[in-house]
Amino acid sequence: MSEHGNWAEWVYIGVVCALLVWVGAEAWNVERLVEHVPADAEVIKVTGQQWFWSFEHEDGTKEIGELHVEKGKAYKFEVTSKDVIHSFNIHDYVVLIDAVPGRINIVWFVPDEVGEHEIQCREYCGLLHYNMRAKLYVEEST
Amino acid sequence: MVLELQKPRPIWQIMFSTHHTDVGLLYLIMSLAFFFMGGVLALFIRIELFLPGPQIIADSMTFNRMFTVHGTTLIFLFILPFASAVGNYFVPIMVRYKDMAYPKLNAIAFWMLPPAGALVWLGFADFTWYAQPPYSVISAPAPAADMWIFGLKIIGISQVLGSINFIVTILKCKHPDLPLSKMPLMAWSFLSSSLIVIVAIPTFAAALLMLLTDRMGMSGFFDPNVGGDPIAYSHLFWFTFHPEVYVLVIPAIGMMYEIIPRFSRKPIFSHSSGVFAFIMLAMVSFASWAHHMYATGMSFTEKTVFMVGTLAAVPASAMHVFNFLATMWGGRIKFATPMMWSVGGIALFFAAGAGGVVNSAMPLDFITHDSYWVVGHFHLFVMGTIAFGSFGFAYYMFPYVTGRMYHEKLGQVHFVLSFVGAILVFFTQHILGLFGMPRRVYDYPPFPEWIAMNQIITMGAVLLAIGAAIWLGNFIYSMGRGKPADMEDPFKLGGKYYYPYQQKTPHHD
Amino acid sequence: MRSKIGLLVVFTIIFIIPTLNYAFAAGDEPGEYLDRRVVIWNLFFRMMVVAFTIGAVVSGTMVWLVWRFRESNPNAKPTKYEETGEW
């Protein structure tokens, strides 16, 4: 082919690889932090079905379409589904995990401000997927 | 090259021909027809989402069916057959053989596609191109779902047959004077993508059969009520369709390897690094499939493995970009329409790749998974890179196929409208995803940011549509009445190096 | 060649295997309270800073290439391959 050196390409590939290593290491570190559930987190059982969410607190209280939690407490969601695959998502708190029938998936968070947030389904689940929503109420701790 | 459209022939002579350029022409026409059909669906979807509340589509079921058929059509009935069209025209010429290795098999592989397309369109299934069980097993309405399954089955067989044909043509029918190391990079791209198809497709073929027997109630592979596992389907599906992404993108890169040196008036910067990158991509493509499934409850170890596998595909793609830019460096570039598409495609390829690296970072999945970010990301690949490369090559082939020139200015207008439209649509979709809008929704709550961004996206989609309409008009008009092309050098580049020109293959009918 | 392979093996044993072990073993010990919004979005914005920097370099290079080497540029001169017409 043509007469030219290859050093520029090697430098370029080196830079690309270094960047990729950086991305991988950073992502690995953050994932490690957010995956570890605190030991004292309170369990909330989340069940998705076509096309609504239901919740069960540790003390047995059940809620449908809305979820009340207290500020400053850690919550561990045990997410499952009764029919097809859904995806449990509180976008404002970056909480997301699939609700898979026959499996229990885990995700956790600590709400830190009083307020209302949207809960939605992010995995296509049929006719009313677009409207499979619920509300999260974060309340002052008692 | 044979001028199919200049030399009048009865239509059945083309339809029943097994000559590689005739089959290529059939592939070309069918794939472009499906491009416009799928594009119209996209336009409907975008208009529906212009405002919250129902607009022009009566109910969510129709909407769900539309985006399912939109995705299935554009991937399986536009992009793949378009690549086959280009391969049929050029691979035999590039390896200096009189035809494809198995001409009859070639025609059979093509003629499987129209019935498959008819099954997909007449069924109009609603379970997305992903057909995720248990939804597709227990909820998706028959017969649409079953028709989709059979349609995809046929497409898969056709693809395997076509790939075998390419591999045998390249490896066995190559002229003895032409070593593999000197074979043009576009032929290399078809060799590597065909090898991926052979390895990847059987898995999905098996998954489709299992899905079908599940739907008939004969088995319960994916139904948790009888002890199956829906996530198993995800693994089988993505084991085929992550590599399939590279099957789509590698021929498009091969087309750019054909156009960019030609219009830069320089040889390719490094042939060997292009070959190396193709082989790397073909191998690494199998190491990353489960990055689509971070949110299904995978363990930390699994996620780490697949993140590393995904990142490993990046250096090879980056080598292609380097090769393109280094080829343009020091050239005397003629910005005719094909070259504009290729350069635009490289720019968007970089953007899509950078988004892909960000996607592969595990924790960011909590933000982006199944949101409009993902829609923007993969459309940057399939539309911004693959379709841009393909459109450029369609313009490049046009004089060889028809013997006439397309209208150059209109071609450039098509490019500019599409480039601006693509940026408006797909970049905005990324941002919309960051604001949390889920994909595959018929309607959305009236949050002001969501409304504003959806409207920008719809306007970009209209630009894309106008560009495509101009393209269609340009090609149809120029086919019959365009200026006769100078077959020695249609693009006035001055080189004497044209595969099509060197082609002396007679018809064998 | 053989010494290179040997070096590679030694390197793998000393560095890569412990790194992999460490990387894959993470995730067993209980975590502490942290705000996942802050951690994840911070990661996102760090990556965006890098991505946009690289994007500026790449797209800047492309714009310059297109501007400098177009055939209508006053400085454009025929490439050496044009003499023979073979490229």
Side-chain angles (χ1 to χ4, degrees), chain B residues 210-474:
Chain B
M210 291 152 89
L211 199 61
L212 188 67
T213 53
D214 270 18
R215 277 185 62 82
M216 297 193 297
M218 290 156 56
S219 61
F221 295 111
F222 307 130
D223 186 355
N225 294 323
V226 288
D229 182 5
I231 300 304
Y233 177 85
S234 305
H235 279 291
L236 295 175
F237 182 90
W238 287 120
F239 182 77
T240 297
F241 283 104
H242 194 74
E244 186 84 3
V245 171
Y246 295 91
V247 174
L248 306 175
V249 82
I250 284 176
I253 291 177
M255 295 173 205
M256 294 178 185
Y257 270 129
E258 192 56 29
I259 290 172
I260 284 175
R262 210 65 74 237
F263 285 81
S264 301
R265 299 185 169 107
K266 268 182 72 192
I268 194 79
F269 172 76
S270 169
H271 184 274
S272 51
S273 93
V275 170
F276 178 77
F278 278 139
I279 297 173
M280 270 286 279
L281 271 186
M283 292 193 300
V284 176
S285 66
F286 286 95
S288 51
W289 78 87
H291 66 210
H292 297 267
M293 301 160 52
Y294 286 159
T296 55
M298 282 168 53
S299 75
F300 185 67
T301 308
E302 284 173 288
K303 287 190 194 179
T304 309
V305 169
F306 284 107
M307 180 181 72
V308 173
T310 310
L311 293 177
V314 178
S317 318
M319 282 169 78
H320 286 307
V321 173
F322 184 87
N323 227 345
F324 290 137
L325 298 191
T327 304
M328 286 162 66
W329 195 292
R332 192 164 73 89
I333 308 169
K334 182 170 178 100
F335 279 100
T337 313
M339 186 64 180
M340 295 175 101
W341 283 104
S342 296
V343 174
I346 297 167
L348 296 181
F349 181 55
F350 170 78
V357 172
V358 173
N359 272 354
S360 74
M362 313 174 265
L364 301 188
D365 209 57
F366 291 115
I367 303 176
T368 57
H369 181 72
D370 265 332
S371 74
Y372 256 89
W373 169 288
V374 177
V375 179
H377 165 69
F378 74 76
H379 275 92
L380 268 188
F381 265 118
V382 291
M383 178 73 191
T385 310
I386 302 166
F388 271 38
S390 304
F391 293 170
F393 209 84
Y395 280 104
Y396 182 67
M397 284 169 83
F398 190 80
Y400 302 124
V401 175
T402 63
R404 294 175 184 277
M405 275 314 269
Y406 55 85
H407 193 287
E408 178 66 33
K409 271 279 166 311
L410 286 181
Q412 294 178 0
V413 170
H414 174 205
F415 167 74
V416 171
L417 284 176
S418 301
F419 193 68
V420 175
I423 286 176
L424 276 182
V425 174
F426 306 132
F427 283 41
T428 317
Q429 281 179 340
H430 279 81
I431 305 169
L432 183 56
L434 296 179
F435 277 81
M437 174 148 162
R439 63 194 283 205
R440 294 168 179 155
V441 286
Y442 164 64
D443 196 5
Y444 53 95
F447 306 136
E449 303 90 353
W450 290 20
I451 298 177
M453 280 187 267
N454 271 300
Q455 296 186 339
I456 295 174
I457 295 169
T458 303
M459 288 186 280
V462 170
L463 285 188
L464 284 172
I466 296 172
I470 291 175
W471 182 32
L472 185 65
N474 188 359

Side-chain angles (χ1 to χ4, degrees), chain B residues 171-241:
Chain B
L171 293 183
K172 286 284 165 199
C173 305
K174 184 170 56 62
H175 194 280
D177 288 351
L178 178 75
L180 266 182
S181 57
K182 288 266 184 319
M183 192 170 72
L185 281 171
M186 202 172 91
W188 265 104
S189 77
F190 278 91
L191 180 61
S192 38
S193 71
S194 301
L195 286 171
I196 301 178
V197 168
I198 298 285
V199 181
I201 286 284
T203 312
F204 180 58
L208 272 180
L209 271 187
M210 291 152 89
L211 199 61
L212 188 67
T213 53
D214 270 18
R215 277 185 62 82
M216 297 193 297
M218 290 156 56
S219 61
F221 295 111
F222 307 130
D223 186 355
N225 294 323
V226 288
D229 182 5
I231 300 304
Y233 177 85
S234 305
H235 279 291
L236 295 175
F237 182 90
W238 287 120
F239 182 77
T240 297
F241 283 104

Side-chain angles (χ1 to χ4, degrees), chain A residues 10-106:
Chain A
W10 284 113
V11 170
Y12 168 83
I13 294 297
V15 171
V16 170
C17 290
L19 279 168
L20 294 176
V21 169
W22 174 77
V23 168
E26 285 267 9
W28 176 86
N29 190 36
V30 170
E31 180 76 10
R32 185 180 59 90
L33 291 175
V34 298
E35 257 202 15
H36 296 187
V37 187
D40 60 344
E42 207 177 296
V43 174
I44 299 178
K45 288 183 183 153
V46 181
T47 310
Q49 50 191 303
Q50 286 170 326
W51 290 275
F52 61 95
W53 294 105
S54 41
F55 307 95
E56 188 181 336
H57 291 272
E58 229 168 37
D59 59 4
T61 347
K62 289 185 184 171
E63 297 183 83
I64 289 179
E66 51 187 54
L67 174 63
H68 293 81
V69 294
E70 286 176 10
K71 177 182 143 180
K73 239 180 177 178
Y75 291 93
K76 172 181 169 188
F77 294 110
E78 295 185 352
V79 185
T80 188
S81 162
K82 276 202 174 145
D83 36 42
V84 305
I85 295 185
H86 305 275
S87 193
F88 176 69
N89 175 220
I90 311 170
H91 187 72
D92 293 346
Y93 277 102
V94 207
V95 168
L96 175 113
I97 197 86
D98 280 1
V100 184
R103 285 195 184 206
I104 294 172
N105 288 334
I106 288 166

Side-chain angles (χ1 to χ4, degrees), chain B residues 11-95:
Chain B
I11 186 142
W12 59 83
Q13 268 196 17
I14 298 176
M15 285 174 67
F16 297 118
S17 166
T18 56
H19 190 258
H20 69 103
T21 56
D22 286 339
V23 178
L25 182 69
L26 292 172
Y27 266 119
L28 191 64
I29 293 170
M30 188 203 70
S31 66
L32 293 182
F34 275 117
F35 166 74
F36 285 101
M37 288 164 73
V40 167
L41 288 184
L43 205 57
F44 275 117
I45 293 170
R46 280 323 316 172
I47 293 172
E48 173 58 44
L49 291 173
F50 189 74
L51 284 169
Q55 307 301 324
I56 56 164
I57 301 173
D59 55 86
S60 70
M61 191 44 122
T62 317
F63 182 87
N64 299 342
R65 290 175 187 273
M66 281 176 138
F67 68 67
T68 301
V69 176
H70 162 79
T72 312
T73 303
L74 288 177
I75 289 175
F76 296 109
L77 299 168
F78 162 57
I79 293 178
L80 286 173
F82 188 90
S84 302
V86 172
N88 265 297
Y89 267 104
F90 285 88
V91 166
I93 297 173
M94 284 180 170
V95 302

